[in-house]
Amino acid sequence: MSRVGKKPVAIPSGVIANVEGQTVKVKGPKGALQVVLHNDVSVKVDAGGVHVDPRNDSQQARALWGTSRALVAKLVQGVTKGYERKLEITGVGYRAALQGKTLQLQLGYAHDIAFAIPDGITIVVPKPTEIVVSGIDDQRVGQVAAEIRAFRKPEPYKGKGVKYSGEYIFRKEGKKK
């Protein structure tokens, strides 16, 4: 039995949830999201919230039960609060700046990196060494943050590069004479 799957997803006031076949659509103050769930789970909406149940007792249905419930919960949280990832830039001369719908990054290369901000994602640069990526879809926010981090991953000797806020970088000692 899935401990996560048993709990219904509570729907706060101001949020509307609809189920059409295997598609769950959620609309809230920040926007609208939808997800298509696997055929091994059934979804229904009632006064208590969104209930996800396995259609049969197979291993795959039980495995997808908790996962499907978590996906629906992420939709509800996305349209109410949204998601954000913070990135920190460390290194001499490394900085970021916004120019319209592009994020300009100077990360020690011979050229600047121009990153086009995708639709549905908001990027804010409060300081030249800090980037905040936010949006309603957790997967897209995480993907954009990962793409920005991939331009210059933090290196283990001096810790220079782009890292997530709160990420621990395992530091190595340099070579000795």
Side-chain angles (χ1 to χ4, degrees):
M1 292 290 284
S2 171
R3 281 182 271 188
V4 174
K6 279 193 256 183
K7 301 176 192 168
V9 179
I11 300 173
S13 61
V15 176
I16 301 163
N18 295 327
V19 176
E20 297 170 6
Q22 291 300 105
T23 306
V24 179
K25 295 181 180 179
V26 180
K27 193 171 185 178
K30 289 195 177 251
L33 290 171
Q34 68 178 20
V35 67
V36 179
L37 300 178
H38 199 274
N39 287 329
D40 283 348
V41 293
S42 64
V43 191
K44 60 181 179 287
V45 179
D46 60 12
V50 180
H51 293 276
V52 181
D53 294 310
R55 287 193 195 273
N56 51 43
D57 201 32
S58 69
Q59 175 67 37
Q60 184 177 13
R62 285 182 284 126
L64 290 168
W65 183 16
T67 303
S68 301
R69 189 255 180 218
L71 289 173
V72 174
K74 282 191 173 281
L75 295 184
V76 173
Q77 184 181 341
V79 297
T80 53
K81 299 177 198 162
Y83 291 96
E84 79 172 21
R85 297 272 193 291
K86 291 183 182 173
L87 297 163
E88 295 171 355
I89 301 174
T90 310
V92 178
Y94 289 16
R95 59 184 168 267
L98 269 178
Q99 291 181 345
K101 290 287 283 173
T102 359
L103 177 69
Q104 292 294 121
L105 297 165
Q106 294 176 345
L107 298 174
Y109 296 116
H111 56 85
D112 291 355
I113 298 166
F115 180 76
I117 301 170
D119 294 335
I121 299 293
T122 308
I123 295 182
V124 180
V125 183
K127 292 188 268 183
T129 58
E130 197 175 299
I131 302 169
V132 179
V133 181
S134 57
I136 62 171
D137 189 355
D138 186 39
Q139 192 276 329
R140 291 191 66 209
V141 169
Q143 182 66 38
V144 169
E147 287 172 8
I148 293 171
R149 181 181 182 272
F151 287 127
R152 177 75 84 170
K153 290 183 182 172
E155 51 97 12
Y157 296 102
K158 291 184 179 178
K160 297 185 339 182
V162 181
K163 67 179 185 113
Y164 296 113
S165 180
E167 179 184 6
Y168 174 75
I169 305 301
F170 180 75
R171 301 297 288 273
K172 292 182 179 178
E173 191 176 344
K175 80 177 186 184
K176 299 182 180 88
K177 288 188 176 183

